[in-house]
Amino acid sequence: MTKRKAAPHRLFAFAFVAGVAIAGGVTLGPGVARPAMAEPATLAVAPVPADAPFASEINAFAKADQKQMPPTGAVLFIGSSSIRLWDTLAKDFPEIPVINRGFGGSLVAQSTLYADRIAIPYKPKIIVMYAGTNDLDNGTRTPEQVLQDYKDFVAKVHAALPDTRIVYLSVNPSVLRWKQEAHILEANHLIEEFTLATNSKTEKLNFINSHSPLLSPEGLPQPNLLRADGLHLNADGYQVWASIVKPRILALAALDGVERLDAPKAK
C-alpha cells in the first residue's frame, strides 16, 4: 500500500486540578437496581480550554460526572460519533452497566488525550473503542499512524488500569467513505494483528470485526443501514451492529466479572 503523507496532527495539552468527593447513588434506569459496585467518587476538574478539540463535549461530560459519577467496574464505550449517536446503548445492553463517552467526529488520539477525564476515572472493567474512520478520511492519518495512535491509547490506559480490558471495534464500511475502503481494511488488519500478538492475561486486548457482517452479499455498504449522510448508522443499523457486538461483549464481561444488572437479587 502506498503511504500518504499525513496532515499535521495537533493535540492540545493542558493541566487539570482534581479533587475527590463522595457522590450519591447512581440511577441506571427505570426498574433497574444499581449493581453492588464500589461507590464512585466525583471528580472536580478544571474545564478544558475553549480552543481545545471538542471542548464543549468534554466539559459537558465533566459537569455530568460532578452531578452523578458513573459506577466503577462498568463497560465504557468511547470514541467518535458512531458511539456518541448510539442512543440505545443502555437499552441494547440491559444486562450490564454501560457508559457512553463518544464525542464529536473525534480521532483515536483524542480519546488518548482525554483518557484522564473520560476513561481512567471511571475504572471500567472493559473499554470498547470505536474510532479511526475520521482519522483515515481524506488522508488525515495513514493506517500505520492509526495503529500507532491506538497503541498509544492502550499504553496510557494500561499504565493506569492494567487490569482493564480494551476492545477495538473495527472501522465500519459506509457509502460516504467507500473511497477509503482500502485504507479502512488495512487499519483494521493492522489493529487486529497487533491485538492477536499482544493479548495476554496481563495485556487484555480484543478485536471485534463488525466490518464484514455489515457489508451486503455483494461486498458493498448497505444504504438501508445508514442515515441520509451515508456515514452514520440509522436505527436499523444500530440493531444490526448491536447484534454483532453484543455477544462478544457479554462474554468478555462475564469473563472479567462485570456486575450483571439482571442477576437475581439476594434475599
Side-chain angles (χ1 to χ4, degrees), residues 8 11 29 96 100 103 122:
L11 296 178
I96 55 175
N100 188 323
F103 59 101
Y122 308 140

Side-chain angles (χ1 to χ4, degrees), residues 7-14 53-54 58 78-80 103 105-116 118 129-136 140-142 145-154 156-157 168 191:
H9 187 65
R10 298 177 181 175
L11 296 178
F12 294 80
F14 49 84
F54 307 106
I58 301 303
I78 194 172
S80 57
F103 59 101
S106 58
L107 309 180
V108 174
Q110 287 161 345
S111 286
T112 308
L113 175 66
Y114 293 123
D116 290 326
I118 61 171
M129 168 177 274
Y130 181 82
T133 179
N134 299 312
D135 305 59
L136 297 167
T140 303
R141 306 288 281 167
T142 66
Q145 288 172 322
V146 171
L147 170 63
Q148 184 57 56
D149 290 342
Y150 179 61
K151 288 181 177 179
D152 293 343
F153 177 80
V154 169
K156 183 170 185 178
V157 170
Y168 186 87
I191 292 175

Side-chain angles (χ1 to χ4, degrees), residues 1 3 136 141-151 168 170-171 182-198 205 207:
M1 177 179 295
K3 294 184 179 179
L136 297 167
R141 306 288 281 167
T142 66
E144 294 79 8
Q145 288 172 322
V146 171
L147 170 63
Q148 184 57 56
D149 290 342
Y150 179 61
K151 288 181 177 179
Y168 186 87
S170 64
V171 179
H183 296 280
I184 288 172
L185 290 175
E186 179 65 11
N188 286 341
H189 172 68
L190 291 172
I191 292 175
E192 184 176 21
E193 277 195 331
F194 164 69
T195 300
L196 292 172
T198 311
L205 298 176
F207 178 93

Side-chain angles (χ1 to χ4, degrees), residues 15-75:
F16 67 89
V17 180
V20 178
I22 299 300
V26 175
T27 301
L28 297 169
V32 179
R34 184 182 183 276
M37 298 178 184
E39 190 67 24
T42 299
L43 294 180
V45 297
V48 173
D51 59 349
F54 307 106
S56 62
E57 292 177 73
I58 301 303
N59 288 333
F61 289 145
K63 289 181 180 179
D65 291 347
Q66 288 166 10
K67 291 181 179 179
Q68 191 172 59
M69 192 71 170
T72 59
V75 178

Side-chain angles (χ1 to χ4, degrees), residues 28 77 80-93 98-102 227 232-235 237-239 241-242:
L28 297 169
F77 286 72
S80 57
S81 53
S82 290
I83 298 296
R84 174 175 58 84
L85 296 170
W86 198 338
D87 296 332
T88 60
L89 183 65
K91 293 181 180 179
D92 292 335
F93 289 84
V98 296
I99 305 168
N100 188 323
R101 287 296 180 264
R227 301 186 184 198
H232 298 100
L233 295 169
N234 58 24
Y238 275 107
Q239 285 188 351
W241 200 24

Side-chain angles (χ1 to χ4, degrees), residues 1 4 130 132-133 135-139 141-143 170-190 209-216 218-222 226 230-231:
M1 177 179 295
R4 295 167 294 174
Y130 181 82
T133 179
D135 305 59
L136 297 167
D137 187 35
N138 297 321
R141 306 288 281 167
T142 66
S170 64
V171 179
N172 291 331
S174 70
V175 173
L176 182 64
R177 293 178 178 169
W178 191 241
K179 290 182 179 179
Q180 279 88 45
E181 175 68 357
H183 296 280
I184 288 172
L185 290 175
E186 179 65 11
N188 286 341
H189 172 68
L190 291 172
N209 177 18
S210 58
H211 182 281
S212 298
L214 286 172
L215 292 171
S216 71
E218 295 75 29
L220 297 172
Q222 301 186 69
L226 301 172
L231 174 62

